[in-house]
Amino acid sequence: MRASTVPSVAESIARVRHFGILPVVEISAVEHALPLFEALSAGGLPVAEVTMRTPVALEAVSVLTRAHPDAFIGVGTVRTEQDAARALDAGARFVVSPGTSAEVVRLCNERGTLVMPGTCTPTEVQAALAAGAQLLKFFPAEASGGVGFLKALAGPFRDVSFVPTGGVNAANLAGYLALPQVAACGGSWMVAPRLLADGDFEQVRALTAEAVQVVAEARRRG
Ligand code: 3PG
């Protein structure tokens, strides 16, 4: 059963734009979930994409959405329709996929949840749009050509918004955010698995606050 606090697709897109960053998290121990989210929130980003790369990922999502019903907790590394169903049942407020699966997009749209399928070619962009996606992950961003590639896409796809992810960090974030078609960037640099394993949530908070500052400055420059 979905909670009444699940935002609409339009609200979710507005939230993604508002935050400017989606922290991409790999949680290997459920007990890390709450301190991690509290560190992200303290740094200014009450949002996380919890990747389905560990056995406890969806349990962590349930813990987080129960403790913080209004938090923007999504599920990433959603590769199949079955993954998507499990993510939505766990309470995902948004769904992210490394590639484009029409079935994943269709199911999320049917359930009224924002889905960001991964794309890194014009053909994939067209396929994701045809499947009904409204916001596209650009993955792997740096390895696929980064800012230059997105600028090249802006001719035919000027009406399409992207969330570049993969190789984004505090140093190159502003370059992406300066592009009008970039809604936000995804990245794991402020929530590196080593920081979680070490319990270094103060460093998570500090790196998050630094990233939030980069977003604020990029937006001031407009
Ligand atoms: C991922 O799915 O792993 C994301 O793209 C994160 O990439 P990053 O670790 O390079 O930020």
Side-chain angles (χ1 to χ4, degrees):
M1 203 57 184
R2 300 178 71 203
S4 58
T5 47
V6 174
S8 70
V9 171
E11 286 165 349
S12 294
I13 292 173
R15 282 201 204 182
V16 170
R17 289 186 188 282
H18 168 77
F19 289 124
I21 306 174
L22 295 181
V24 178
V25 186
E26 189 174 314
I27 296 180
S28 54
V30 173
E31 57 269 27
H32 291 161
L34 288 173
L36 168 70
F37 181 74
E38 279 147 23
L40 287 168
S41 299
L45 282 180
V47 50
E49 173 194 328
V50 180
T51 57
M52 287 180 79
R53 298 180 200 173
T54 65
V56 301
L58 294 182
E59 190 184 341
V61 169
S62 299
V63 165
L64 287 169
T65 52
R66 272 201 307 271
H68 299 282
D70 294 322
F72 198 46
I73 305 295
V75 175
T77 321
V78 172
R79 304 194 315 195
T80 66
E81 188 175 5
Q82 290 75 19
D83 288 346
R86 292 173 61 219
L88 293 166
D89 289 345
R93 274 42 172 167
F94 63 92
V95 165
V96 185
S97 185
T100 292
S101 152
E103 292 75 27
V104 168
V105 174
R106 180 192 47 75
L107 181 65
C108 292
N109 281 342
E110 272 175 20
R111 302 267 297 255
T113 301
L114 172 65
V115 58
M116 292 172 259
T119 59
C120 73
T121 68
T123 300
E124 290 166 5
V125 170
Q126 290 181 187
L129 296 174
Q134 297 184 47
L135 184 57
L136 310 186
K137 176 173 177 172
F138 168 45
F139 175 78
E142 281 292 290
S144 303
V147 166
F149 186 85
L150 278 175
K151 280 184 179 166
L153 281 186
F157 296 117
R158 66 194 58 186
D159 55 332
V160 180
S161 293
F162 293 90
V163 179
T165 308
V168 180
N169 54 46
N172 61 16
L173 174 62
Y176 283 101
L177 294 175
L179 303 181
Q181 74 266 46
V182 170
C185 287
S188 67
W189 77 95
M190 77 293 286
V191 287
R194 181 186 48 77
L195 296 175
L196 275 56
D198 292 349
D200 194 353
F201 297 107
E202 169 49 28
Q203 182 67 353
V204 171
R205 187 208 59 75
L207 290 170
T208 302
E210 178 194 44
V212 166
Q213 194 61 35
V214 173
V215 175
E217 276 164 27
R219 294 199 165 149
R220 255 198 304 277
R221 283 198 293 272

